[in-house]
């Protein structure tokens, strides 16, 4: 397939985002680089809006809005287990044509593409590989140098700060071949051959443009860390440069530097340059080698490029509605919002199509206190962006195919979320709660989630591992939650102990249809050391078949209990429930249904 027949988004390159897991992402700002000095926290004007040089992500990931060019769906690798299935459903970005597709949508097989194992979701797609296309940026030059073999030489060496790739240097054919094969006469030289696939596997691909950029960032960070104090005068560096030294330069010829031979000082072919270094030509037609005469001067910081200053924020929303005649509607914006509050989500979406002013007004978060996306087969990036823009207080994602990446992206941008419903979702997706801050959360619904046991709930309840040093009290993630719904989960008494410790403010608890909940569980909830003994108002234990009549007197320890649901508990007798309703914790209950105890406030 030719490039002209590809989709409309074939040439558009997506900007990648932080992985939030690498060493650069988790460290703090240095406070000394050009970007840190521009930040307002360090006293700068805050115009560049760029991150610290030392915090440049080494494994950037695709943005959440990325979708497959062929099917229009996001990555779904979290929904399967097998490696082949995960690869087929993951989004892959080609470094040549910049297309983002599912490998499974191409129907061309995994072996036909060249996968970059160092950058996530990066490859050379089978189409570009079959067409013989190469990168159009600097990475394409290094690929060409590898293909021609003896006609050009790409020197590799060791950086003082660590292993790396030196800048490529092109030699003529005679220089390159004579340096690699000393002593061989020209008539015995063979014509260069393109690299062939070995028996073990295909030829190693050249570094991708993204990898080159990451290597440049690493070398830049190493240079910044090794820059000494600049308070010393320039005369000291000049005097030091006159002393003799024995260290080799960063670029070494394959034959001379390896054997340790150094030309005598002052011999023919030498040329002294700035900084006390001598350029030596080892032989006729050979490359120039730089030999230091003393300790090298400190490396200069790299020259930073100019960055475009971001435009100011958009203008505030208008207070009046402009009419076609040029005048304004007499009703102000506040009055229109009071009218819009009586409309439902469907009617608000219709109003947003009337005019631009209504569209901006209808995004007011007061009009969207609750958003329901339940039972959606897939959640598209525009849907997620619409949720974040409206900033609801309650979000229902029950029985949806939301992925872990999508849920984490949502939770990091909904800091005012108070109610979250995730019933019926998979644990692979719900595990995003373990790394997302939810300071305002008051209700969490985790009913009927598959494969949730004590270990998974422990991961959710325990405080985050990255607690700040010196912090005396570590707070759990559910410290402020008042209502927790855990119906249908395989929880044991060990999970209830963690619940009592890390969720002490619960007033409503749903443990219905939990097969392992029995009389000892009720004893834990109502024990004198339990914080829920004084806070529980609603308790749902319906369908817990291990409960017996012996646990009923324990509920009298909860003075604030107003609703107790014991329906479908097989071993509980109606007579014992009636006796509890008559006596009750401070006052009697009424029973509108059998084994359902209610008390009027």
């Amino acid at each position: 397939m030719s490039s002209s027949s590809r989709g409309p988004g074939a040439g558009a390159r997506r900007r990648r985002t932080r992985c939030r897991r690498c060493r650069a992402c988790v460290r703090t700002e240095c406070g000394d680089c050009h970007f840190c000095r521009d930040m307002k926290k360090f006293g700068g004007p805050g115009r560049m809006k760029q991150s610290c040089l030392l915090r440049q992500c080494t494994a950037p990931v695709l943005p959440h809005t990325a979708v497959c060019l062929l099917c229009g769906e996001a990555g779904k690798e979290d929904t399967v287990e097998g490696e082949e299935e995960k690869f087929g459903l993951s989004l892959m970005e080609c470094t040549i044509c910049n297309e983002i597709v599912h490998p499974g949508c191409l129907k061309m097989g995994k072996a036909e593409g060249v996968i970059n194992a160092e950058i996530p979701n990066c490859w050379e797609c089978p189409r570009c590989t079959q067409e013989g296309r190469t990168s159009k940026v600097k990475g394409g030059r290094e690929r060409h140098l590898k293909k021609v073999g003896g006609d050009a030489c790409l020197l590799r060496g060791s950086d003082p700060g660590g292993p790396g790739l030196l800048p490529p240097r092109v030699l003529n054919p005679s220089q390159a071949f004579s340096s690699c094969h000393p002593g061989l006469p020209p008539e015995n030289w063979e014509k260069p051959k393109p690299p062939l696939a070995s028996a073990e596997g295909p030829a190693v691909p050249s570094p991708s443009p993204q990898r080159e950029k990451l290597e440049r960032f690493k070398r830049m960070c190493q240079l910044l860390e090794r820059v000494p104090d600049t308070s010393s005068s320039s005369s000291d560096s000049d005097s030091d440069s006159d002393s003799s030294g024995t260290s080799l330069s960063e670029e070494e010829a394959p034959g001379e530097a390896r054997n340790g031979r150094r030309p005598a000082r002052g011999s023919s072919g030498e040329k002294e340059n700035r900084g006390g270094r001598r350029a030596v030509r080892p032989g006729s037609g050979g490359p120039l080698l730089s030999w230091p005469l003393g300790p090298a001067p400190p490396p200069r910081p790299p020259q930073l490029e100019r960055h475009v200053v971001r435009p100011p924020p958009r203008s505030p929303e208008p207070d009046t509605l402009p009419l076609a005649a040029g005048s304004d509607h007499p009703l102000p914006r506040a009055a229109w919002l009071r009218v819009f509050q009586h409309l439902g989500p469907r009617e608000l979406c219709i109003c947003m199509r009337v005019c631009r002013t209504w569209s901006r007004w209808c995004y007011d978060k007061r009009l969207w206190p609750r958003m329901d996306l339940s039972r959606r087969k897939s959640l598209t990036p525009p849907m997620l962006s619409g949720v974040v823009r409206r900033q609801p207080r309650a979000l229902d994602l029950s029985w949806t195919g939301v992925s872990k990446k999508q849920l984490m992206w949502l939770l990091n941008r909904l800091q005012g979320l108070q109610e979250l419903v995730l019933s019926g979702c998979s644990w692979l997706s719900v595990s995003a709660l373990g790394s997302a801050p939810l300071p305002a959360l008051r209700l969490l619904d985790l009913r009927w989630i598959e494969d949730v046991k004590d270990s998974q709930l422990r991961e959710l309840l325990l405080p985050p591992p990255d607690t700040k040093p010196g912090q005396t009290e570590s707070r759990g993630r559910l410290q402020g939650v008042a209502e927790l719904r855990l119906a249908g989960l395989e929880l044991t008494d060990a999970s209830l102990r963690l619940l009592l410790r890390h969720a002490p403010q619960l007033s409503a608890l749903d443990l219905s249809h939990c097969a392992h909940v029995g009389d000892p569980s009720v004893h834990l909830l109502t024990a004198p050391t339990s914080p829920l003994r004084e806070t529980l108002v609603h308790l749902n234990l319906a369908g817990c078949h291990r409960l017996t009549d012996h646990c009923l007197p324990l509920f009298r320890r909860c003075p604030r209990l107003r609703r107790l649901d014991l329906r479908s508990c097989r071993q509980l007798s109606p007579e014992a429930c009636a006796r509890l309703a008559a006596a009750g914790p401070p006052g009697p209950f009424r029973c509108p249904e059998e084994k359902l105890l209610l008390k009027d406030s």
Side-chain angles (χ1 to χ4, degrees):
M1 179 183 291
S2 63
S3 59
S4 60
S5 62
R6 299 189 181 184
R13 185 174 181 180
R14 308 302 297 268
R15 180 179 179 183
R16 290 180 169 247
T17 58
R18 287 185 177 275
C19 67
R20 302 181 184 273
R21 293 188 298 270
C22 67
R23 183 179 179 181
C25 286
V26 299
R27 67 164 295 163
T28 57
E29 291 88 355
C30 66
D32 297 327
C33 68
H34 192 56
F35 295 147
C36 285
R37 292 175 182 175
D38 178 74
M39 298 179 185
K40 290 186 177 180
K41 65 167 70 175
F42 296 111
R47 294 172 181 168
M48 292 185 178
K49 310 296 184 184
Q50 300 292 329
S51 62
C52 173
L53 278 178
L54 301 184
R55 297 193 71 240
Q56 302 289 344
C57 180
T58 59
V61 298
L62 291 174
H64 75 281
T65 56
V67 293
C68 178
L69 183 65
L70 301 178
C71 67
E73 297 288 342
K76 299 180 180 180
E77 62 272 18
D78 295 337
T79 61
V80 294
E81 297 293 340
E83 292 296 329
E84 293 292 337
E85 297 176 351
K86 283 180 177 291
F87 177 78
L89 295 178
S90 61
L91 290 176
M92 300 295 292
E93 180 186 23
C94 180
T95 58
I96 300 174
C97 64
N98 299 325
E99 285 186 354
I100 301 177
V101 295
H102 291 131
C105 295
L106 290 177
K107 306 298 183 183
M108 302 181 71
K110 176 181 177 181
E112 297 183 4
V114 181
I115 301 176
N116 190 335
E118 298 180 351
I119 300 179
N121 304 92
C122 185
W123 71 343
E124 293 182 8
C125 66
R127 296 175 180 174
C128 295
T129 305
Q130 290 180 357
E131 297 173 4
R133 303 177 63 191
T134 57
S135 300
K136 293 180 284 188
V137 293
K138 184 179 177 182
R141 180 185 179 189
E142 295 190 2
R143 180 182 296 274
H144 176 67
L145 294 176
K146 286 197 171 197
K147 284 185 178 181
V148 299
D151 288 347
C153 182
L154 182 62
L155 298 183
R156 292 180 180 270
S158 298
D159 190 286
L165 183 65
L166 294 179
R169 182 173 53 161
V170 182
L171 311 178
N172 59 52
S174 61
Q175 292 172 343
F177 201 89
S178 62
S179 62
C180 297
H181 301 79
L184 189 64
E187 56 270 14
N188 293 335
W189 295 355
E190 295 181 358
K191 298 181 69 176
K193 298 179 180 179
L196 300 177
S198 60
E200 290 80 10
V204 179
S206 63
S208 62
Q210 288 89 346
R211 183 60 188 175
E212 286 186 351
K213 184 177 179 181
L214 296 179
E215 290 294 339
R216 288 198 299 270
F217 276 129
K218 289 181 180 179
R219 290 197 294 271
M220 187 183 301
C221 296
Q222 292 171 359
L223 290 175
L224 289 176
E225 290 178 353
R226 293 200 303 272
V227 171
D229 190 5
T230 58
S231 61
S232 60
S233 61
S234 60
S235 60
D236 297 338
S237 61
D238 295 336
S239 61
D240 292 339
S241 63
D242 295 335
S243 59
S244 61
T246 59
S247 61
L248 294 177
S249 65
E250 293 181 359
E251 294 183 3
E252 299 177 344
E256 297 292 336
R258 199 173 298 167
N259 296 332
R261 293 181 292 176
R262 296 191 308 160
R265 183 174 178 181
S267 60
S268 60
E270 296 184 3
K271 182 170 65 175
E272 186 170 358
N273 52 18
R274 295 182 180 180
R277 290 176 177 261
R278 291 185 183 273
V280 182
R281 187 179 300 277
S284 60
L288 289 176
L289 298 180
S290 181
W291 298 82
L293 297 180
R300 298 176 59 186
Q303 187 69 23
L304 300 177
E305 300 179 358
R306 294 180 179 270
H307 291 264
V308 180
V309 179
R310 292 185 179 180
R314 61 179 185 177
S315 59
E317 298 181 0
D319 290 332
T320 58
L321 177 63
L323 301 177
S327 60
D328 293 336
H329 196 278
L331 283 181
R333 174 174 175 266
W336 281 111
L337 290 181
R338 285 196 293 269
V339 174
F340 290 152
Q341 287 179 351
H342 296 278
L343 303 180
R346 185 180 300 274
E347 291 78 11
L348 285 174
C349 292
I350 296 175
C351 293
M352 294 175 69
R353 303 177 184 176
V354 173
C355 63
R356 183 177 301 178
T357 303
W358 274 22
S359 178
R360 297 180 64 178
W361 287 352
C362 288
Y363 272 113
D364 195 296
K365 62 181 180 180
R366 291 173 290 182
L367 305 177
W368 303 92
R370 179 180 179 85
M371 294 192 66
D372 187 359
L373 300 178
S374 59
R375 302 191 180 276
R376 301 269 183 171
K377 293 183 179 180
S378 62
L379 300 179
T380 61
M383 296 169 61
L384 302 181
S385 301
V387 172
V388 172
R389 190 171 180 181
R390 289 165 174 83
Q391 290 291 310
R393 296 193 301 269
L395 180 61
D396 189 352
L397 297 175
S398 58
W399 305 99
T400 61
V402 61
S403 64
K404 179 179 179 180
K405 186 185 302 183
Q406 290 175 330
L407 184 59
M408 186 177 300
W409 185 88
L410 276 175
L411 298 181
N412 286 330
R413 289 158 177 81
L414 297 177
Q415 296 298 304
L417 191 64
Q418 298 179 4
E419 300 181 8
L420 179 60
V421 180
L422 296 173
S423 57
C425 298
S426 64
W427 171 251
L428 290 176
S429 305
V430 178
S431 60
L433 293 172
S435 56
L438 296 171
L441 192 64
R442 295 295 177 266
L443 183 149
L444 181 59
D445 190 339
L446 302 178
R447 293 176 295 178
W448 304 104
I449 294 180
E450 300 177 357
D451 301 328
V452 174
K453 298 181 180 179
D454 289 342
S455 57
Q456 285 80 10
L457 192 62
R458 184 182 301 110
E459 178 183 347
L460 181 62
L461 290 174
L462 290 179
D466 54 348
T467 305
K468 295 182 180 179
Q471 189 174 358
T472 57
E473 181 181 0
S474 59
R475 292 176 55 85
R477 298 183 178 92
L478 305 182
Q479 285 281 338
V481 174
E483 182 174 354
L484 186 60
R485 302 172 184 175
L486 304 174
L489 306 185
E490 298 182 11
L491 307 180
T492 63
D493 292 346
S495 299
L496 289 180
R497 293 188 183 93
L498 286 174
L499 193 66
L500 296 177
R501 180 177 179 182
H502 298 289
Q505 299 183 13
L506 288 179
S507 60
L509 180 60
D510 185 359
L511 298 176
S512 59
H513 302 283
C514 292
H516 300 290
V517 173
D519 292 351
S521 306
V522 177
H523 180 73
L524 284 175
L525 293 175
T526 61
T529 57
S530 171
L532 303 187
R533 177 176 179 175
E534 302 295 332
T535 61
L536 271 181
V537 178
H538 302 282
L539 181 59
N540 189 354
L541 298 175
C544 297
H545 303 306
R546 293 192 177 187
L547 296 178
T548 64
D549 294 345
H550 299 287
C551 71
L552 294 181
L554 299 177
F555 293 112
R556 298 177 181 175
R557 301 176 179 177
C558 302
R560 301 183 58 189
L561 194 61
R562 294 292 181 269
R563 178 186 174 93
L564 179 60
D565 193 347
L566 300 174
R567 292 175 291 184
S568 302
C569 295
R570 301 173 184 173
Q571 301 189 45
L572 289 178
S573 62
E575 295 79 11
C577 293
R579 289 195 297 269
L580 176 63
F589 287 96
R590 58 184 181 88
C591 296
E593 299 182 27
E594 188 178 54
K595 301 180 183 179
L596 176 62
L597 285 69
L598 301 178
K599 179 185 292 186
D600 297 331
S601 56

